[in-house]
Each structure stands twice: as structure tokens, then as C-alpha cells.
Amino acid sequence: MTSEEKEKLKYSLFIDECGDHNLAKYDSGFPVFTLCGILVSQHNLKSLSKALEDLKIGIFGSKDVIIHSVDIRKWRGPFSVLADKVLRERFFSGIERILSQNDAYVIVSCTILKEQLNKFCVRGEEDDVYGLSLSYLIERSIFCVDNIKNDKTAEISIVVERRGKKEDNKLLNYYNGLRNRGTKWVSAERLRARIREFCFKNKKDNLIGLQIADLIAYPVTIHLLYPDRHNPSYDAIRHNIFQDKGVLLGQKVIPH
């Protein structure tokens, strides 16, 4: 086995969110929470990182600009240059070209429809929304790696964007619970064999994987919230949503 083949047995699951996980109080105009992950091999991550860094340099003059979809939509901070139509078109066509690559990465997401879930939610269960979504992403990522490589040595490193000490500790405790009990479809032993590490990173760390997860989370959410709305960003990435034998498994909606 070559060194490149060994490298391809290592995957990263980068996780970001869209919306907040509060079920008690939420914006009626955006009553949704999505946890979105991209599963990518180390080999493909290098290619994606190079492509996005080149795009940043071409548009902003620096690879240190942190891609953040909210700032992009509002032309805020360094993205104020997108007021220039020519630059804006170059930027979005570049993003679409990068994200539309077949087989470069796999999307797994879990979207919570808050209004519908509240009808069935017992008081206090809102605290589990993030953890429930994480459980789904981990489970389906393991399914995906099983399909990509029929090799029990393949490992996944999970990288989550930091939110705050209290929130991060709570999520870490939930993850450790999954390691002890497993999920509905993945045993604890299988989970521990597949997941190599679980860590938190800051947005300022400029990790391309987290930035791509951020870019994808919004169009996935908008598609599920408004399925009939024109959504070219979703059309560009929908083919990368995890499927198994033609069945869409990488886009969970709760309740459904």
C-alpha cells in the first residue's frame, strides 16, 4: 500500500450549524436548526483547501479571509468588496465550481423543524437537539466510510466549531455518552473503532473544512424550509449528499 493510499483511509468530519438549537424561543421567520457536516478524505481536503485559498487570494488578496456565509450574504467586513458585480460573480462562480465537484466530499446533515417538533417535545428535551443531530451525523458518516472503503481500519476525526465553554463541554459529554452506548444503528464498539478523535476549533483557525460546512449549511436549510424556492447553491451541492444504493441517507429531517 502506497503512502497516498494510507492517507486516504483517514477522513475528517467538519461540522457547522445554521440557526440556533433553542426550541423555547425562536424566530418564526426562520424556525429551523441545521447541523451540517462534510466528510472528506485527507487527500481531497488538500485539494479543496488549495482551491478555496486560491479563490480567496484572487478576490480578497489574502488567503486569511475567513469564509462566513452570514457575512457574505450581508456584504459585511472583507466581503464588502462583493458590492462590485464583477468580483461578486467571480466569487460565487468560483465557490460553485469548488463545491460542485463530484466525490470531493460527502454531506451529512440533520435539520430540526422547531414548530413541528415543539408539538411532540417534552419540556427539557430542547437541550438534546444539538446532541440528537450530532448522533445522526456520526452514525451516517460511519455508514459512508463503510461504503467508501471496505476496510475496518478507516478512521474519522470530528472537528466542530467552538461555540462557548459551557456549550462545548455539554456537547463533548454527549459525544462521550455515544462512545459508551452507541447509536440506534451503530454499536459503541463500532463507533469507537471508527472515530479517532473529537475536537473543537475556533473560526479564526481558518480551517477550510469548517468554512465549507458553513457554506453548505445555509442552502441545505433553505431547501428544506422552502423546497420550492429557487436555490442554485443547493442544486450545486445536492449530488454530494450521502446516498446508499440510491436511497438518500445524508439529509435527516426531524420530525419526519
Side-chain angles (χ1 to χ4, degrees):
M1 180 180 291
T2 67
S3 59
E4 182 178 357
E5 288 172 331
K6 289 180 180 178
E7 186 178 31
K8 288 183 179 181
L9 294 177
K10 295 181 180 179
Y11 297 83
S12 295
L13 176 64
F14 294 96
I15 297 176
D16 202 353
E17 61 191 89
C18 180
D20 66 80
H21 61 284
N22 191 327
L23 291 180
K25 296 180 180 180
Y26 57 86
D27 180 359
S28 60
F30 200 74
V32 66
F33 168 76
T34 295
L35 197 64
C36 180
I38 65 156
L39 183 69
V40 56
S41 71
Q42 294 304 300
H43 174 74
N44 285 342
L45 182 59
K46 290 180 179 179
S47 298
L48 287 169
S49 296
K50 178 66 166 56
L52 194 53
E53 286 175 354
D54 287 347
L55 179 63
K56 289 181 184 182
I57 292 171
I59 301 296
F60 308 108
S62 172
K63 66 180 181 180
D64 296 327
V65 172
I66 308 296
I67 298 294
H68 193 202
S69 60
V70 173
D71 294 335
I72 291 171
R73 294 193 297 274
K74 297 185 177 182
W75 299 356
R76 198 162 56 193
F79 303 100
S80 61
V81 300
L82 299 181
D84 182 298
K85 183 180 179 181
V86 174
L87 281 180
R88 185 167 67 250
E89 290 178 350
R90 279 178 54 199
F91 177 71
F92 284 113
S93 64
I95 290 292
E96 183 175 321
R97 183 176 63 253
I98 293 168
L99 297 187
S100 63
Q101 297 179 62
N102 283 310
D103 303 321
Y105 61 92
V106 176
I107 299 168
V108 286
S109 70
C110 182
T111 296
I112 307 292
L113 304 179
K114 297 181 180 181
E115 185 176 1
Q116 292 89 326
L117 186 61
N118 267 336
K119 297 176 182 178
F120 309 101
C121 188
V122 177
R123 183 177 179 84
E125 282 188 353
E126 63 270 13
D127 292 337
D128 293 329
V129 166
Y130 203 115
L132 179 65
S133 302
L134 176 70
S135 175
Y136 176 83
L137 265 60
I138 290 176
E139 178 182 272
R140 298 311 161 101
S141 295
I142 291 173
F143 292 168
C144 185
V145 169
D146 285 347
N147 287 350
I148 294 173
K149 286 284 185 181
N150 186 21
D151 189 320
K152 299 303 181 184
T153 65
E155 296 177 326
I156 301 170
S157 296
I158 300 175
V159 183
V160 183
E161 185 171 309
R162 287 192 182 278
R163 296 178 296 155
K165 186 175 181 179
K166 179 181 177 181
E167 293 83 359
D168 292 348
N169 284 339
K170 187 172 185 179
L171 189 62
L172 181 59
N173 289 336
Y174 191 93
Y175 165 71
N176 286 330
L178 289 176
R179 285 179 58 84
N180 291 328
R181 66 177 181 273
T183 71
K184 182 177 181 180
W185 302 109
V186 175
S187 68
E189 293 77 15
R190 183 179 173 193
L191 190 151
R192 290 194 296 267
R194 282 296 193 196
I195 307 302
R196 183 166 65 94
E197 64 177 337
F198 185 94
C199 64
F200 297 92
K201 295 293 183 179
N202 293 310
K203 187 176 293 294
K204 65 181 181 181
D205 291 329
N206 198 7
L207 296 182
I208 295 299
L210 286 178
Q211 293 170 65
I212 292 177
D214 174 273
L215 285 170
I216 290 172
Y218 184 73
V220 165
T221 303
I222 292 299
H223 171 73
L224 293 173
L225 195 57
Y226 307 108
D228 297 326
R229 178 184 291 185
H230 180 57
N231 191 345
S233 296
Y234 179 79
D235 293 337
I237 55 95
R238 66 189 306 162
H239 59 271
N240 282 337
I241 299 172
F242 174 46
Q243 296 186 36
D244 187 11
K245 298 177 181 177
V247 179
L248 190 66
L249 296 179
Q251 189 170 268
K252 177 71 172 178
V253 180
I254 298 175
H256 184 69

